[in-house]
Amino acid sequence: MTMLDERPSEEANPELERKAERAESWRGFFTALPTYLYLVVFFVLPLIIITVISFAERSRTGKPVLGEWTLDWWIKLGDPLVRSVVFRSVWLAFLNTLLSLLLGYPFAYWIATRKSALMRNFLLVLVLIPFWSNFLVRTYAWRTLLDSNGLVTKVGEMTGLWGKMLFTEPAVFLGLLYGYLPFMVLPLYAAIEHLDWNLVEAARDLYADARKAFIKVTLPLSKPGIIAGSILVFIPSLGAYVTPDLLGGSKTTLLGNYIVTQFKSGRNWPFGAALSVTILAIMMVATIIYFRKGGKTL
Amino acid sequence: MSVQEGTAHRPWVDKVLTVNGWLIFAFLYLPILILVIYSFSDSKVVGIWGGFTWKWYNRMIHNPEMMGALWNSAKVAFISTIISTVLGTLAALALDRYRRWLGKGAFDVIMYLPVIIPEVTMGAMLLIWFTQILPVNLSLTTIILGHIAFSASFVTIVVRARLANLDDSLEEAAADLYANRWTTFRRITLPLIMPGVMGGALLALTLSLDDVVITEFVQGPGASLLPVYVFGLIRRQVTPEINAVSTLMLALSMMLVFISLAFQARSISKSKNKEA
């Protein structure tokens, strides 16, 4: 199509142009419509309802009674027991994100800077396998390692450094670290692999030493990977259910188990709803703070 | 410039990085390896080696509950993957290929929420939705509906990334040659985004096969999926039979990794052929 036959028609018929644009926009709308409807019915409405339910009275079976309202469940969040569960969950999730970053960064950097492409790809596949492997199975592996007959326990007893760790907080932490470390490594790898090494070279040419070039150039340039990795680790750690359930004991209840308990043996659905909304709120606040702070300091 | 030239480290830095790297790989792999080894141990206690045996695998295959759960998992994964791939791809097309439409801004936000929402919240809200609001019984269907609700978004992300990297000149050329929209989509757009669609489908499949939390919330009585069934077994008592089924699940995960890698390798080699 040449410019010549396009222009006159455009000037002559702005009405037609506008019509075409409107038709195009309806086509976009109808392409999205099935997914749009699905998400409204099975995501948006349930999200609104769970918030409403958190203000409902509870029946004798633990289910919500619609039509009778109360603030009890939100007030209950201030109980010392509940507060300690929330605090422990946030603390463990934060600690896990930090340690994953400290372990994952040099690891991802090492893989991304291997000289041969073949080696880089091979190491990347080695990271992908645990990343895609069944999470439950990987957690179960630690359950047997940390039990009385487990290898880790035997090594600890032999050296006298530690005993049986299963059902303690360190066991839960170890499980979380093991479970989510690959989630940190992959985005970090992608960011470091794609960064513009010319800039690092330029810094070195301008007499920055290796450390300075790393802190002033490499680290800031890999910020997208740091942010993505941290979010990918923090969110599932905060809501962890399988890990504390299999590796922790009654004293290491985290928000995830606590919520499930409310819907099962705890028989308090409205309180479970309030906790579910709380965990979502914490996650959103943490993500926003992280994006803001990350934007300034790095 | 390539990666290597910008990273002339002092030798000791490189040595420390290498040692650290292999230590982390050992941390990631040893637990899985030990788990697999004990699935062949002829001792009831996991952690004590009792000689080689296949008996736990044999017991697994002849456990009707376990095989029933496996069959349920396969059904749920198959159906939810197909539907979420279609829904996710449509959403990606609408978001990437159409500049403005009614409610696009809101949709762009809603679409990403299932990815970042904690699984327990998602499970709890679906449970309330299904049992308190909708007049339905919990069954395999509610599990499928739940799995689609979170995996469609992952498909959208993967396909959208693929669409963003495509230039639309081929589609324009097809339109100039009087191909109608459907023909353009089927002959040009779809083949081009196929690696993204397959990648998204594999992700949806993996997510469905791995899910414990949402399934546990919305499953009906008596119709469980394999991971939830195994989760229940572990809670009751640890036996080498669990190691056997775990090994099976690991093998399945690995197969999916290699299938997805094969897809990527093929799409890369194809695009290289075109450049040459």
Side-chain angles (χ1 to χ4, degrees):
Chain A
M1 211 177 274
T2 62
M3 295 292 269
L4 271 177
D5 46 71
E6 207 172 344
R7 230 182 235 160
S9 73
E10 230 173 65
E11 271 165 25
N13 228 332
E15 184 68 17
L16 208 72
E17 185 84 348
R18 224 174 295 138
K19 248 185 196 165
E21 203 171 280
R22 220 174 296 143
E24 189 70 3
S25 109
W26 280 114
R27 257 182 227 113
F29 176 76
F30 283 113
T31 309
L33 192 60
T35 320
Y36 214 151
L37 283 178
Y38 194 94
L39 284 179
V40 167
V41 174
F42 294 109
F43 188 82
V44 178
L45 291 176
L47 188 57
I48 294 169
I49 291 297
I50 197 174
T51 315
V52 173
I53 292 285
S54 70
F55 294 100
E57 279 287 1
R58 159 176 88 126
S59 76
R60 223 173 290 149
T61 56
K63 305 230 167 116
V65 183
L66 286 169
E68 291 174 41
W69 309 106
T70 174
L71 279 173
D72 284 2
W73 318 120
W74 287 97
I75 294 165
K76 202 177 167 179
L77 288 176
D79 280 4
L81 171 77
V82 183
R83 269 206 316 239
S84 78
V85 171
V86 174
F87 180 76
R88 181 161 50 231
S89 301
V90 175
W91 171 240
L92 276 183
F94 168 76
L95 215 59
N96 189 33
T97 311
L98 191 68
L99 197 61
S100 295
L101 186 60
L102 291 177
L103 285 176
Y105 197 95
F107 183 56
Y109 186 89
W110 172 65
I111 298 175
T113 55
R114 289 309 85 197
K115 287 190 177 68
S116 98
L118 196 70
M119 184 65 170
R120 278 204 304 277
N121 286 333
F122 170 69
L123 294 176
L124 187 63
V125 171
L126 282 187
V127 178
L128 279 172
I129 291 172
F131 181 85
W132 285 75
S133 290
N134 192 289
F135 185 80
L136 173 69
V137 169
R138 302 204 306 126
T139 310
Y140 169 66
W142 280 95
R143 167 117 178 189
T144 57
L145 283 176
L146 298 175
D147 212 346
S148 340
N149 291 309
L151 205 65
V152 172
T153 311
K154 280 179 186 158
V155 170
E157 279 165 356
M158 229 151 50
T159 54
L161 291 176
W162 61 79
K164 179 183 153 186
M165 272 196 271
L166 192 61
F167 307 134
T168 65
E169 205 165 287
V172 176
F173 182 69
L174 204 55
L176 289 175
L177 180 67
Y178 183 74
Y180 298 121
L181 183 60
F183 290 61
M184 178 66 90
V185 175
L186 281 185
L188 281 176
Y189 170 83
I192 297 169
E193 228 249 313
H194 283 124
L195 70 82
D196 187 354
W197 294 100
N198 285 317
L199 297 172
V200 182
E201 185 82 336
R204 299 301 300 274
D205 285 349
L206 294 168
Y207 304 106
D209 60 20
R211 184 177 303 146
K212 211 164 190 182
F214 177 77
I215 292 172
K216 295 272 181 188
V217 182
T218 312
L219 205 56
L221 284 178
S222 42
K223 196 181 94 184
I226 295 176
I227 288 180
S230 300
I231 289 172
L232 283 180
V233 172
F234 185 80
I235 293 170
S237 302
L238 184 64
Y241 164 60
V242 170
T243 315
D245 196 276
L246 290 185
L247 303 178
S250 53
K251 281 182 190 157
T252 55
T253 303
L254 297 189
L255 257 173
N257 326 71
Y258 198 54
I259 290 173
V260 175
T261 306
Q262 301 312 317
F263 287 93
K264 304 240 153 124
S265 53
R267 287 169 179 269
N268 194 341
W269 286 32
F271 182 49
L275 287 167
S276 303
V277 177
T278 306
I279 201 172
L280 181 62
I282 295 173
M283 186 224 78
M284 284 186 156
V285 169
T287 312
I288 291 167
I289 289 175
Y290 200 81
F291 267 112
R292 291 248 169 97
K293 288 261 170 188
K296 276 175 200 156
T297 54
L298 280 174
Chain B
M1 192 179 70
S2 68
V3 176
Q4 310 87 315
E5 290 163 53
T7 55
H9 299 122
R10 274 164 291 188
W12 70 266
V13 174
D14 214 63
K15 232 168 246 164
V16 170
L17 283 175
T18 306
V19 170
N20 175 63
W22 289 113
L23 278 177
I24 289 182
F25 272 129
F27 171 64
L28 289 176
Y29 277 90
L30 280 180
I32 305 179
L33 196 69
I34 291 166
L35 176 144
V36 173
I37 290 172
Y38 278 108
S39 74
F40 297 106
S41 162
D42 197 0
S43 156
K44 268 203 165 149
V45 185
V46 180
I48 293 171
W49 182 251
F52 183 88
T53 179
W54 283 107
K55 97 173 162 202
W56 306 113
Y57 288 89
N58 202 17
R59 200 168 284 186
M60 169 182 87
I61 292 166
H62 293 102
N63 178 342
E65 279 184 54
M66 184 103 78
M67 289 299 115
L70 177 64
W71 177 233
N72 284 341
S73 275
K75 275 195 284 194
V76 168
F78 181 73
I79 299 171
S80 67
T81 298
I82 288 180
I83 299 178
S84 52
T85 304
V86 172
L87 289 179
T89 305
L90 282 176
L93 283 167
L95 287 170
D96 190 86
R97 283 298 190 254
Y98 297 91
R99 210 178 324 137
R100 258 208 329 251
W101 43 272
L102 188 67
K104 183 179 178 183
F107 184 68
D108 208 358
V109 175
I110 293 169
M111 200 66 226
Y112 287 93
L113 280 179
V115 177
I116 56 170
I117 200 166
E119 278 180 295
V120 273
T121 306
M122 184 100 176
M125 67 196 218
L126 284 173
L127 174 70
I128 291 172
W129 183 242
F130 287 135
T131 60
Q132 306 303 115
I133 310 293
L134 296 184
V136 297
N137 288 320
L138 296 177
S139 64
L140 282 188
T141 312
T142 50
I143 300 179
I144 292 171
L145 291 171
H147 283 194
I148 296 168
F150 69 81
S151 51
S153 300
F154 284 90
V155 176
T156 303
I157 291 177
V158 176
V159 177
R160 204 179 177 184
R162 177 85 194 170
L163 276 167
N165 289 328
L166 285 181
D167 80 277
D168 39 18
S169 57
L170 279 173
E171 286 160 298
E172 276 169 19
D176 285 351
L177 293 168
Y178 302 103
N180 65 27
R181 277 169 187 285
W182 174 240
T183 313
T184 308
F185 174 74
R186 206 167 42 96
R187 304 286 289 271
I188 308 287
T189 316
L190 195 58
L192 282 175
I193 61 170
M194 213 47 194
V197 175
M198 293 314 290
L202 282 167
L203 188 56
L205 190 67
T206 309
L207 288 169
S208 175
L209 287 174
D210 278 7
D211 179 65
V212 170
V213 180
I214 293 167
T215 307
E216 212 181 46
F217 269 106
V218 299
Q219 68 183 0
S224 192
L225 302 190
L226 189 62
V228 178
Y229 176 71
V230 172
F231 187 48
L233 285 185
I234 300 172
R235 277 166 154 177
R236 255 174 282 149
Q237 201 194 357
V238 169
T239 66
E241 198 184 338
I242 297 174
N243 289 50
V245 68
S246 296
T247 304
L248 179 82
M249 285 153 91
L250 281 175
L252 198 69
S253 309
M254 272 209 214
M255 210 174 71
L256 290 174
V257 176
F258 286 112
I259 292 175
S260 85
L261 287 174
F263 266 115
Q264 277 173 28
R266 221 179 54 178
S267 75
I268 288 168
S269 73
K270 258 192 191 165
S271 60
K272 271 188 187 152
N273 283 344
K274 265 176 211 148
E275 278 165 29

Coordinates of all heavy atoms in Angstrom, one line a residue, chain A residues 81 85 88 167-168 244-245 248-254:
Chain A
L81 N -1.6 -14.4 70.6 CA -1.3 -15.7 69.9 C -1.4 -15.4 68.4 O -0.4 -15.8 67.7 CB -2.4 -16.7 70.3 CG -2.3 -18.0 69.4 CD1 -1.1 -18.9 69.9 CD2 -3.6 -18.8 69.4
V85 N 1.8 -15.5 65.5 CA 1.8 -16.2 64.2 C 2.1 -15.3 63.1 O 2.9 -15.6 62.2 CB 0.4 -16.9 64.0 CG1 0.3 -17.6 62.6 CG2 0.2 -18.0 65.1
R88 N 5.8 -14.2 63.2 CA 6.7 -15.3 62.9 C 6.7 -15.5 61.3 O 7.7 -15.7 60.7 CB 6.3 -16.6 63.6 CG 7.3 -17.7 63.3 CD 7.2 -18.8 64.3 NE 5.8 -19.2 64.6 CZ 5.3 -19.3 65.8 NH1 6.0 -19.0 66.9 NH2 4.0 -19.6 66.0
F167 N 10.5 -30.8 63.1 CA 9.4 -30.1 63.9 C 9.9 -28.9 64.7 O 9.4 -28.6 65.8 CB 8.8 -31.2 64.9 CG 8.2 -32.4 64.2 CD1 8.5 -33.7 64.7 CD2 7.5 -32.3 63.0 CE1 8.0 -34.8 64.0 CE2 7.1 -33.4 62.3 CZ 7.3 -34.6 62.8
T168 N 11.0 -28.3 64.3 CA 11.5 -27.1 64.9 C 11.5 -25.9 63.9 O 11.3 -26.2 62.7 CB 12.9 -27.2 65.5 OG1 13.8 -27.4 64.4 CG2 13.0 -28.4 66.4
P244 N 5.7 -25.7 56.6 CA 5.5 -25.7 58.1 C 4.7 -26.9 58.5 O 4.9 -27.5 59.6 CB 4.8 -24.4 58.4 CG 4.2 -23.9 57.1 CD 5.1 -24.4 56.1
D245 N 3.8 -27.4 57.7 CA 2.9 -28.5 58.1 C 3.8 -29.8 58.2 O 3.6 -30.6 59.1 CB 1.8 -28.8 57.1 CG 0.7 -29.7 57.6 OD1 0.9 -30.9 57.5 OD2 -0.2 -29.1 58.1
G248 N 7.4 -28.5 60.5 CA 7.3 -27.8 61.8 C 6.4 -28.5 62.7 O 5.8 -29.5 62.4
G249 N 6.4 -28.0 63.9 CA 5.5 -28.6 65.0 C 4.5 -27.6 65.4 O 4.3 -26.6 64.7
S250 N 3.8 -27.9 66.5 CA 2.7 -27.0 66.9 C 3.2 -25.6 67.3 O 2.5 -24.6 67.2 CB 1.9 -27.6 68.1 OG 2.9 -27.9 69.1
K251 N 4.5 -25.5 67.7 CA 5.0 -24.2 68.1 C 5.5 -23.4 66.9 O 5.8 -22.2 67.1 CB 6.2 -24.4 69.1 CG 5.7 -24.7 70.5 CD 6.9 -24.9 71.4 CE 6.5 -25.4 72.7 NZ 7.6 -26.0 73.4
T252 N 5.5 -24.0 65.7 CA 6.0 -23.2 64.6 C 4.9 -23.0 63.6 O 5.1 -22.9 62.4 CB 7.1 -23.9 63.9 OG1 6.7 -25.2 63.6 CG2 8.3 -24.0 64.8
T253 N 3.6 -22.8 64.1 CA 2.5 -22.6 63.2 C 2.8 -21.3 62.4 O 3.2 -20.3 63.0 CB 1.2 -22.4 64.0 OG1 1.0 -23.6 64.7 CG2 0.0 -22.2 63.0
L254 N 2.6 -21.3 61.1 CA 2.7 -20.1 60.3 C 1.3 -19.7 59.8 O 0.3 -20.5 59.9 CB 3.6 -20.3 59.1 CG 5.1 -20.6 59.5 CD1 5.9 -20.5 58.2 CD2 5.6 -19.6 60.5

